[in-house]
Amino acid sequence: MSFNGWKKYIEEGDLVIVYMSRENMIPITIKKDQEFNNRFGTYKHNDIIGKEFGSKMVSSNYKGFVYLLHPTPELWTLVLPHRTQILYLADISFISTLLELKPGVSMIESGTGSGSFSHSIARTIAPHGKLYTFEYHEERAKLAEVEFKAHGYGDIIKVHHRDVCKDGFQLENLVDAVFLDLPAPWDAVASAKKAFKQDRTGKICCFSPCIEQVSKTVTALEQNEFIEITMYECLMKEHMVVPVQKLSFQDLIQEAKQKKLNGKDGSSVTVPVKRRLGKDEPIPTAEEVEESNQLMLTSRTPGETRGHTSYLTFATFLPSTAF
């Protein structure tokens, strides 16, 4: 089953992402005479074979249904077996953009971990790019290599079992970009510098959860003559669409009079208020809002932003020939 492409019909041996809800998806490999079960019923693999990817499938007892999705790197990140902590889509997209990944790029990744980022990299640099991924844990390296081959990335991803902080990458004048997700990325910076193509600029990113790690990494980057060193932090914030009732100017004046509050200095402060829809009132569609003279859509954000996951430190390799 190839992640690097698209097929229309499900066949035996294919990997299928079974979608039950936004928070509930699982990967299954289709095999004849086997079944998939959930609390709403049974789904026979024999009935799945021949269906189109994206199809809706009803359970055998007609009490529930699932969607049969084609695997993608984005979906794989949400359902993969966790062997380590992984990168999620917000960081993956940001890193891919700032590392200037595109078809044909050669890149180093260390460590491989659960292979979440590896799949997105491989899809982005295909068909002629190359990813050299390094993992110090032998069992994880073997499992990752099996997955990459099964998912159609065997020709793009080359897995190495090595502790790069001690032994380096042992690659020279070869890659355009480097990504380091290591406990001590500063120990691999000098080796990474040798791995860059020495006649052109390159990009490096170091993923670190602690600011102390960032400080040591920046020192190592400066000592190895990297330039444009910049640190970012990605935080997720949800925007919720909320319909509210429109109020005329006269309505605002009237409501403000009814909502007077006493200020600290004893003066009177007016507070205009827009009424939100009650819990039992149905949320209108966008078309209904547009047609209504009484409603408008607003964007609201929650009071708190999702917590910190990491700092991303980027820098540019400048070849000596540029001076």
Side-chain angles (χ1 to χ4, degrees), residues 7 9-15 29-33 49-50:
K7 62 188 299 185
Y9 297 102
I10 301 172
E11 301 175 3
E12 184 180 12
D14 283 347
L15 177 69
T29 300
I30 301 302
K31 299 178 181 179
K32 286 185 178 180
D33 302 326
I49 295 173

Side-chain angles (χ1 to χ4, degrees), residues 19-25 75 78-79 236 238 306:
Y19 178 100
M20 290 161 278
S21 70
R22 190 174 177 182
E23 291 76 29
N24 190 6
M25 293 180 279
L75 289 175
L78 298 176
V79 301
M236 297 287 290
E238 292 184 2
R306 187 178 300 178

